[in-house]
Amino acid sequence: MIKLKTKEEIDLLYESAQIVSKTLGMLAKEVKPGVTTLHLDKLAEEYIRDHDAIPGFLGMYDFPNTLCMSPNDQVVHGIPNNKPLEEGDIISIDCGALKNGFYGDQAYTFSVGEINPEIEKMMTITKQSLYSGIKKCKTGNRIGDISFAIQLICENAGYGVVRELVGHGLGKDMHEDPQVPNYGRKGSGPKIEEGLVIAIEPMINQGTYKVKFHNDGWTVTTRDNKPSCHFEHDVAVVDGLPKLLSTYKYIYEALGISSNEEEEFLYKSLHS
């Protein structure tokens, strides 16, 4: 059952999402060759707790850490460890936080030093597909319109769109209805209504869309061992239109990136 949110609830979701966004912004300066994912994980846990929130992933379904850290051919749900990142790696960092009873959930794929231009292109197009999907998150459309928009951009560029892992509704639970696939048909799936809050998260592979689930119960890699990337935003339908509860602003500020990609989706809280 899809749980539509009130303006007051969306405000609380915004607060949680912003904590996640600021956590990723803090981490942006720390992602570099030689650092371990376990070190980044500890920084994130401290930051989230210092901001009066609880790490959203830690202990959920028995996950052992604050962050899902997925380098290179890992798609999602990688477990932080003591292996240092290397020049040329990419790493998807997926982070969640719980505050005032509501979750924030966001992911960004970072470059570690200089990376292969072909991998950088995949990351750019995946992020473009995310915003293309967000544009379709408005009343009168259906979830399949979001899915189709993401799939069209990524497959036209020759990339594999992961089938087994999808976006989701967001609220008092991290994973609520509806599921939000990154592939699908226009006009299919549940209707998009006022108060819908979802996490849209394209998971895109450089090669095949097929993935492998590992024996640790968490790690998912590409079947052909080619790189994968992952971007995720929390989106609410407010006055019929998509509004971003999360932001990449803090990441971009840390990395010196100039972007206006979020301008049309800016959310105004009841208290602003």
Side-chain angles (χ1 to χ4, degrees), residues 143-153 181-186:
I143 293 296
D145 296 312
I146 299 171
S147 307
F148 178 82
I150 293 169
Q151 182 180 15
L152 184 67
I153 286 178
N182 296 305
Y183 65 97
R185 290 183 297 106
K186 285 182 183 177

Side-chain angles (χ1 to χ4, degrees), residues 63-76:
F63 188 74
N65 293 90
T66 293
L67 301 174
C68 293
M69 306 284 279
S70 308
N72 301 321
D73 67 337
Q74 292 187 21
V75 181
V76 286

Side-chain angles (χ1 to χ4, degrees), residues 196-210:
L196 179 71
V197 178
I198 56 175
I200 301 176
E201 50 178 320
M203 291 157 272
I204 306 301
N205 302 341
Q206 191 178 39
T208 180
Y209 69 86
K210 295 180 179 179

Side-chain angles (χ1 to χ4, degrees), residues 212-233:
K212 178 182 177 182
F213 291 83
H214 288 248
N215 291 335
D216 63 11
W218 290 104
T219 307
V220 182
T221 59
T222 58
R223 190 75 65 84
D224 56 10
N225 301 122
K226 290 185 177 180
S228 180
C229 66
H230 176 207
F231 291 91
E232 177 180 18
H233 268 315

